[in-house]
Structures are given as C-alpha cells and as structure tokens.
Amino acid sequence: MFASAKATILHADLDAFFASVEQRDDRRLRGRPVIVGGGVVLAASYEAKAYGVKTAMSGARARRLCPDAIVVAPRMSAYSEASKAVYRVFEDTAPFVEGLSIDEAFLDVRGMRRIAGSPRDIAVRLRTEVRRRVGLPITVGIATTKFLAKVASAVAKPNGLLLVPPGTELAFLHPLPVERLWGVGPVTASKLRDRGITTVGQVADLSEELLATMIGRAAGRHLHALAHNRDPRRVTRGVRRRSMGTQRALGFRRPNRTFAELEETLIALVDRIARRLRAAGRLCRTITLRFRFADSSRATRSQTLPAKTADTRTILATARGLLTAAMPMIERDGITLLGITLGNLENEFAGQLELQLNPQRALDSVLDAVRDRYGSDSITRAVLLGRDPGLSIPLLPD
Ligand SMILES: [Mg+2]
C-alpha cells in the first residue's frame, strides 16, 4: 500500500452477537457469562469467553470451563431482526456496504469527508447509532485495506474503535501473532510455529518461495501478500461470479463405480463447495452435476430449486437426486470424473438475511467454524454419512 492511500475502509463487527442480543433483551443476563446453544456453543458473551469458552465448542466442554454460565436457547428470529436493523444503520452510514456475515460488514467511506467528516468521525457515529437504534455493542476497525480493517477490529474488540493511520500499517501489523493473518488456522499456525515463526513480521521477512515450501504455494502467496498489507480488494456490492464448482477425477482404471462409492465422493464435493459458497456470502439456485465417461465424452444434469439456498443438506439432497437419475447412464458408460457446479449465485446480503438465519444454517456455520479452526478432516457429517464420526454434533431442530 502507498503511504498516501487514505484509510477509508471500515470493518464493523458486532460483539458476541447472539449473546449480546440475549443480554440486551433480558437484563438479568447482563454482566453474566452467557452461552447461546446447549449442544454446541453458537455464541458466548465476553464474560463467558473470559473462561475460555469459544464458538463451536461442545456445550459440555463449555460448561466444564464455566460452570456458572447461563445457557440459553437460540432465538433466531430475534437475531434476524437485530441483523436487519444493524444493516439499516450500515446502509445509512455509507454508500458501499459489503456484508460478510449476519453481524459484520465492510463499509467504504471514501469521498464522504465533506458531508460526513473523517472516517473516524463516521465510525464514532456508526457505533453510537448501532447502540441507540439496535441496543448492541459493535467494534469498528479502520484502515487502508479490507484485510487490515478486519485485523484492526479484531484487535479492538470488544466495544472498541481502532484506526490504523496510513504509513503505520506495517508497524501495527508486524508485532501481531501469525494467527491474526486472514486464513491462518491452527494447522498453518503450528507449521509456522514449529519453525520458530510466531509473528507477522517474521512472516514478512520470508520470501514467498520459502513460505510456499512451508505451507504450500497458494497459502504462501496469500500470507506473503497479507504480511506486507497487500490487499487490493475493493469494498463492493456489485456483480460477482455467477457460478462456482469443484470436481474429482476418479481415474480410468476402474470406471465401474457403485452408487455408494459415488455418493461418498459427492458428499465430500458438496461439503466443500457449500462451505465455499457460504464463505463467499452467496446463495445458489441451480445445482449441476458434471460427468466424464470412460470414452472421454461428457454430460451434465442440473436442477433449479424453488428458492435460493446455502444449506448443505438441501444442496446434497438435490445432487443426490441428480446422481440417482444418472446412474443408468453411469453404469452403461463408466465414470472417470464427477463434478458439481452451483449456479445462479446471488449475494445473500440483499434482504436475504432470514434465509441464512434458520437453525440448519446456524449449524452449517458452526461446522464451518470448527473446520476453519481444526482443519477440514476434523469433522464429518454424521447426518449425511449415517455413521458416528467420533465427534457428535447434534442437529438443531428445524
Ligand atoms: Mg461478530
């Protein structure tokens, strides 16, 4: 980033969102450790976090860490209402609002100085307005890049405001632990720590090539850029990709696959692509299966749903139906590649919040968080596989 760049990107993130809504609505919960969700922790108040309670932790573990915690059942409709109200404040604050999830967004306030004051003035007002109109605490980070604004809000939490002045980005960033870099989970962090690399500054001192040998090419490139605060992404609500897909080559040696084998591959593909869909804040409408046969010919089968979704179960049910219908063709011609594409993508933050605020979606988010933290293989879907994965995550009621 050039030192002359202006810090106009705000990252606004509600603090302990679900738990804060509960404390707002029941004064007996204020100042107390509150856990939302019994089977799995969906949210924990800062009083509970102080005991080490974290989102996506099992409820049993959380209660061991914090026996005095008050456990409350989630109230999705209350969170949905609060989220919509907060987004109205965002929309009233800045012309460019890019939703990241139900409780956080990027706002770009460039060009607003004359009418609305400095980015810091705007952030102060945003926090006051969220408190006044919605009754919730929110933290705001301000910086020249999206990545750094998100780091700043994480450092400033809870109930804080932090501006990283232009020209001081690296001085701010480099002393921080590597875990602060976007995309560094425990797996990557431990690979780095094994080599004595604990701070962002140490990452910045490595060449991209050396970093790639430690953590892989894509991750190496990504972290190298972030450690130097290179993040050219603009805040946008414009049109983005219309589809996303993933596939798996099955090899030519054994094209006669059973339905059960293909179903297992399909579950893995759906799990991966649905995660990417949710991570990108998108919803899909059309599901397409792609097949390549032993003679290298190809075919697709697709289905368009009545409503947009980012729900793993819905996507899997549709994909499974398409696979079932294609089995005669597969048995006849032999299959060498199975792929899935999600199409008719839309941003979910265009008045679509209620769609992701159903309990199944909350479960999906928790599973995503578990895997972000512990790696993709840490958990499999017992409900989908019909087996005990060792770590049991109860399905939330529909
Ligand atoms: Mg938050």
Side-chain angles (χ1 to χ4, degrees):
M1 261 298 135
F2 301 109
S4 62
K6 294 201 169 69
T8 61
I9 297 175
L10 275 54
H11 178 256
D13 190 359
L14 289 165
D15 302 321
F17 176 38
F18 294 176
S20 294
V21 172
E22 297 303 331
Q23 290 178 320
R24 177 195 68 183
D25 294 348
D26 182 350
R27 60 174 58 251
R28 290 169 304 181
L29 300 179
R30 291 182 200 164
R32 309 277 307 273
V34 175
I35 292 173
V36 179
V40 173
V41 176
L42 295 178
S45 71
Y46 277 85
E47 295 84 357
K49 286 181 203 275
Y51 290 85
V53 177
K54 292 191 166 102
T55 301
M57 185 178 271
S58 85
R61 171 125 190 266
R63 284 189 295 278
R64 272 198 305 279
L65 287 168
C66 185
D68 294 335
I70 303 164
V71 179
V72 300
R75 294 180 303 136
M76 292 300 168
S77 58
Y79 312 146
S80 178
E81 276 308 306
S83 177
K84 284 178 197 161
V86 168
Y87 266 80
R88 281 193 289 273
V89 179
F90 292 163
E91 298 287 346
D92 291 347
T93 303
F96 292 102
V97 177
E98 179 181 336
L100 276 180
S101 77
I102 49 173
D103 74 326
E104 60 179 313
F106 288 115
L107 290 74
D108 195 338
V109 299
R110 76 183 60 208
M112 293 181 66
R113 188 175 286 270
R114 272 189 39 223
I115 51 165
S118 70
R120 182 191 284 279
D121 297 336
I122 295 169
V124 167
R125 218 163 36 240
L126 171 64
R127 297 185 62 237
T128 309
E129 283 298 286
V130 170
R131 175 65 86 177
R132 186 179 69 81
R133 286 162 59 177
V134 197
L136 294 175
I138 192 163
T139 295
V140 180
I142 313 170
T144 47
T145 61
K146 284 168 123 177
F147 154 68
L148 204 62
K150 193 168 160 73
V151 174
S153 72
V155 169
K157 273 185 171 298
N159 203 14
L161 169 62
L162 181 59
L163 164 71
V164 183
T168 70
E169 287 92 346
L170 298 183
F172 165 74
L173 194 55
H174 284 177
L176 297 176
V178 288
E179 286 82 357
R180 289 290 188 195
L181 291 175
W182 209 334
V184 173
V187 178
T188 307
S190 75
K191 282 182 194 163
L192 293 170
R193 286 181 179 276
D194 286 348
R195 290 172 168 83
I197 298 159
T198 58
T199 67
V200 178
Q202 287 175 291
V203 174
D205 286 342
L206 301 173
S207 70
E208 187 179 324
E209 291 70 29
L210 185 55
L211 206 48
T213 63
M214 295 177 183
I215 57 174
R217 184 179 299 275
R221 188 185 313 132
H222 174 72
L223 290 202
H224 188 260
L226 293 185
H228 293 278
N229 191 34
R230 282 199 297 270
D231 178 10
R233 296 168 307 155
R234 299 279 294 258
V235 175
T236 174
R237 57 165 131 210
V239 178
R240 291 191 283 169
R241 285 197 306 158
R242 301 293 297 170
S243 71
M244 58 173 72
T246 185
Q247 61 185 33
R248 185 178 291 176
L250 302 169
F252 286 84
R253 281 155 46 107
R254 202 165 55 80
N256 302 315
R257 304 277 171 162
T258 64
F259 179 79
E261 286 177 293
L262 293 173
E263 188 189 32
E264 198 160 317
T265 301
L266 188 66
I267 288 166
L269 291 174
V270 167
D271 227 15
R272 186 191 310 159
I273 198 66
R275 270 187 89 190
R276 270 176 50 198
L277 183 73
R278 291 189 293 271
R282 319 292 308 269
L283 298 164
C284 76
R285 192 70 200 280
T286 301
I287 291 149
T288 303
L289 287 196
R290 293 179 286 114
F291 310 101
R292 188 182 67 202
F293 301 108
D295 64 358
S296 293
S297 65
R298 291 169 180 271
T300 60
R301 292 289 182 273
S302 62
Q303 188 175 337
T304 296
L305 302 169
K308 294 180 279 283
T309 188
D311 170 11
T312 297
R313 262 196 332 195
T314 306
I315 295 168
L316 181 64
T318 309
R320 205 183 242 142
L322 292 168
L323 180 65
T324 305
M327 278 314 287
M329 183 169 68
I330 289 167
E331 280 160 3
R332 191 185 64 220
D333 295 335
I335 185 167
T336 61
L337 179 142
L338 179 61
I340 182 167
T341 301
L342 306 180
N344 274 324
L345 300 188
E346 284 180 36
N347 291 348
E348 64 184 342
F349 301 102
Q352 306 289 349
L353 290 163
E354 65 283 354
L355 278 176
Q356 61 147 356
L357 272 169
N358 63 43
Q360 182 59 41
R361 180 57 203 267
L363 174 72
D364 283 336
S365 319
V366 170
L367 291 176
D368 290 348
V370 170
R371 278 179 288 206
D372 286 345
R373 194 166 297 154
Y374 303 108
S376 307
D377 299 333
S378 60
I379 190 169
T380 46
R381 287 173 178 271
V383 268
L384 303 182
L385 294 171
R387 309 184 195 124
D388 180 6
L391 169 60
S392 100
I393 298 272
L395 254 193
L396 297 165
D398 266 320

